[in-house]
């Protein structure tokens, strides 16, 4: 296969958009939480939980929409628990995040073994429905007809508007930048932090659900660090929706390129490409590439 | 001051006890929910672990890397440095140890062991040096950088294995010579027959005591705690904060490499990709539960080691994966109970 011909093809574009979706949903999840001043490094765990719950309920009920609803609900319940730890009890957010990651990954492994007697994957499940007719378009149809992918693209301008142009966004940002000042102006800071974390639970749920639906199963290790890449994209994107969008597109393009190299059989060490998102993030943090600065009160309990 | 320390100790004992009871309770509820009797399960674990030298040996073997990594991380945590990067640091260290032990096997033993340990330590410490220096020079939180460094380390090791060092169609390095292996305890005590526990267990114990001594009985340890407690105040009493931070990060991440002694030199004879199985994160739990006190870490590691091996023994009754859940519940209960107990005593004062 001609690798350069492939890169400018529609199917490469479709691949990039597919890989982009969970990244942007995850990064956006991390961003809403951090805009309110709560660091959520458990995005990975949240994605695992929702992917697993979606697959679990899809196998048990056979109804994908009900499964979607249940998986989102469970993730939001976990985000409430996360809020209880970090906002109500003001426990260190990093350690809480590490604990949640271990808990959520562990629960998925345990319940999968318990119910399916398999440490690797669930039985096959149905995909979420696509928009009819468009899905039949060759190459890119399946992507353009995917409700979650469409939502993810709409999410970019929506979050831009929400964060910068609405009362909600202003208050959310104030909770993350200067909670004491916000409180003195009558903003209920803790509530806004809670909303941020709940949005985080909701969006990371969509990321996990989409991955499971797209793969037609849940398998152990399928999230494969995407939750962390999402956090990396948020940092590189400087906590701004459009910048995050471009960071996610970049990471998705790297990955699509890596996959196409593997398919084409060109001998190139793919681990070096897998390393790139993390390496770039470190370089950005050092200040070699651009400058990035988190919300002023990010990570500080209030 | 004396009274406050005593109260602190009382609070710690209360909160650790409550959180262990809470964990036991939550675990029992989970076991009940799936229709099994928790007492049966706990019974099996206790009789399997304490009923034979093999079981006890396996629990000690599982506890060994936790004692090492937990004590190492305690140094960072006392300086208020959130080193989430132990996973990458210890993997690199163990990887380099296996290579050094293989390629330098022509050296006499009195040179080989120091070389292996120093190289492993140096590589792990270097991996900790990067986030530390970024924090000091650029003020960037070590949390995100250590997380990123974990992934870079694992990808790097994977790359080096596949391209250069792995035995064909495996993800492990060449096996080192038998004479380099650290003796198993069963070589001295028939009692431990068959189990993998080796002399590294005693090295781990010695390390925990040494770290305890350093943290609580030396000036350097005092500086570390001062920086961790209040950076500004530490600066005003003349402590060079940056130097202390850098040193504690270097020592902390460097020491994680010693898990290579247990796995590579004491057990398998080679480095295998994925051997650590989240050790770097479990060790955070072990250290937290012990309030970053290395002597306490010995006990919490033994508890986790027991759970780890115990999970295997009950696998036929209940999936061993439950131990992942139990370990996470331990972390979350100590975090929450600790805070609640703390708030309670503060409101009483």
């Amino acid at each position: 296969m001609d690798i350069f011909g492939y890169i400018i093809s529609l199917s490469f574009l479709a691949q990039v958009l597919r890989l982009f979706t969970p990244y942007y949903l995850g990064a956006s999840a991390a961003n809403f939480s951090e805009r309110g001043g709560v660091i959520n490094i458990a995005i990975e765990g949240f994605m695992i939980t929702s992917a697993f719950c979606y697959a679990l309920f899809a196998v048990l009920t056979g109804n994908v929409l009900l499964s979607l609803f249940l998986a989102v609900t469970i993730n939001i319940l976990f985000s409430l628990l996360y809020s209880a730890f970090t906002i109500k009890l003001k426990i260190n957010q990093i350690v809480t995040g590490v604990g949640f990651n271990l808990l959520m990954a562990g629960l998925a492994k345990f319940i999968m073994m318990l119910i399916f007697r398999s440490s690797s994957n669930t039985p096959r499940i149905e995909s979420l429905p696509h928009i009819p007719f468009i899905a039949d378009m060759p190459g890119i149809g399946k992507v353009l007809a995917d409700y979650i992918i469409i939502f993810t693209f709409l999410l970019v301008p929506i979050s831009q508007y929400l964060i910068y142009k609405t009362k909600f966004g202003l208050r959310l940002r104030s909770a993350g930048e200067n909670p004491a000042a916000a409180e003195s102006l009558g903003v209920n800071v803790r509530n806004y932090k809670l909303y941020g974390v709940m949005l985080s639970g909701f969006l990371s749920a969509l990321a996990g659900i989409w991955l499971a639906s797209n793969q037609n199963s849940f398998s152990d290790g399928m999230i494969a660090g995407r939750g962390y890449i999402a956090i990396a994209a948020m940092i590189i994107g400087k906590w701004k929706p459009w910048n995050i969008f471009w960071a996610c597109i970049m990471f998705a393009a790297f990955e699509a390129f890596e996959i196409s190299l593997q398919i084409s059989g060109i001998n190139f060490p793919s681990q070096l490409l897998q390393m790139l998102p993390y390496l770039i993030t470190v370089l950005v943090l050092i200040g070699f590439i651009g400058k990035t600065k988190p919300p002023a009160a990010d990570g500080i309990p209030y | 001051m004396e009274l406050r320390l005593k109260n602190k100790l009382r609070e710690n004992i209360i909160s650790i006890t409550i959180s262990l009871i809470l964990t036991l309770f939550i675990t029992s509820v989970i076991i009940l929910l799936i229709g099994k009797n928790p007492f049966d399960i706990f019974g099996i674990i206790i009789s399997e672990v304490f009923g034979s030298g093999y079981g006890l040996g396996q629990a000690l073997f599982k506890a060994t890397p936790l004692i090492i990594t937990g004590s190492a991380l305690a140094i960072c945590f006392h300086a208020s440095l959130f080193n989430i990067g132990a996973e990458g640091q210890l993997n690199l260290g163990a990887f380099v140890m296996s290579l050094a032990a293989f390629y330098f096997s022509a050296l006499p033993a009195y040179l080989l062991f120091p070389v292996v340990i120093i190289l492993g330590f140096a590589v792990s410490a270097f991996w900790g040096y990067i986030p530390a220096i970024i924090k000091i020079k650029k003020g960037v939180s070590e949390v995100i950088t250590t997380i990123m460094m974990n992934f870079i380390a694992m990808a790097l090791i994977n790359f080096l294995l596949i391209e250069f060092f792995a035995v064909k169609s495996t993800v492990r390095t060449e096996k080192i010579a038998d004479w380099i292996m650290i003796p198993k305890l069963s070589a001295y005590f028939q009692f431990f027959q068959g189990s993998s526990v080796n002399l590294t267990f005693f090295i781990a114990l010695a390390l925990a005591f040494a770290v305890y001594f350093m943290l609580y009985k030396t000036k350097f340890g005092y500086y570390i705690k001062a920086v961790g407690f209040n950076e500004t105040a530490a600066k005003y009493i003349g402590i060079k904060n940056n130097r202390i931070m850098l040193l504690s990060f270097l020592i902390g991440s460097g020491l994680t490499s010693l898990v290579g002694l247990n796995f590579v030199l004491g057990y398998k004879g080679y480095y295998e990709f994925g051997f650590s199985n989240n050790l770097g994160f479990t060790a955070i739990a072990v250290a937290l539960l012990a309030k970053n006190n290395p002597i306490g870490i010995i006990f919490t590691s033994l508890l986790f080691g027991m759970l780890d091996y115990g999970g295997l023994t009950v696998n036929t009754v209940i999936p061993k994966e439950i131990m992942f859940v139990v370990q996470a519940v331990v972390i979350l209960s100590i975090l929450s109970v600790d805070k609640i107990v703390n708030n309670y005593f503060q409101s009483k004062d």
Side-chain angles (χ1 to χ4, degrees), chain B residues 49 61 131 171 198 271 320 324 341:
Chain B
V49 172
F61 172 70
V171 285
N198 56 75
Y271 169 88
K320 63 174 187 304
F324 293 126
V341 168

Side-chain angles (χ1 to χ4, degrees), chain A residues 34 39 41 44 81 85 88-92 94-96 98-100 102-111 113-114 117 119 224-225 228-229 231-232 234-235 267-269 271-272 274-275 277-279 281-282 285-287 291, chain B residues 30 34 36 82 84 130 134 138 140-141 143-145 147-149 151-153 155-156 158-159 162-163 277-278 281-282 284-285 288 315-325 327-329 331-333 335-337 339-340 343:
Chain A
E34 295 212 3
I39 296 179
I41 60 164
E44 179 88 359
L81 187 65
F85 271 74
K88 177 86 181 129
L89 287 172
K90 299 181 191 173
I91 297 168
N92 182 296
I94 304 302
V95 193
T96 307
V98 170
F100 267 69
L102 289 175
L103 178 71
M104 290 162 130
L107 274 175
K109 276 183 211 260
F110 172 61
I111 299 175
M113 198 63 197
L114 194 66
R117 292 276 145 213
S119 60
Y228 295 104
I229 295 193
I231 293 174
M234 172 196 71
I235 295 169
N267 194 9
F268 184 85
Q271 299 84 9
L272 293 184
Q274 284 160 11
M275 207 190 283
Y278 309 111
L279 203 60
T281 309
V282 172
L285 283 171
I286 300 175
K291 223 177 153 58
Chain B
I30 297 176
I34 58 175
K36 298 278 165 26
F82 277 106
I84 316 285
I130 300 172
I134 295 177
K138 299 281 176 184
V140 176
S141 151
V143 173
I144 298 296
T145 29
I147 291 174
M148 299 299 142
M149 295 298 286
F151 286 100
I152 299 174
L156 184 65
N158 198 2
F159 165 71
I162 289 174
E163 296 294 317
N277 198 10
N278 272 347
F281 297 97
T282 318
I284 298 177
L288 273 182
N315 198 19
T316 46
V317 191
I318 187 168
K320 63 174 187 304
E321 283 78 6
I322 192 170
M323 291 306 159
F324 293 126
V325 181
Q327 292 179 347
V329 171
I331 305 185
L332 294 177
S333 29
L335 285 174
S336 50
V337 170
K339 202 73 179 187
I340 293 167
N343 288 349

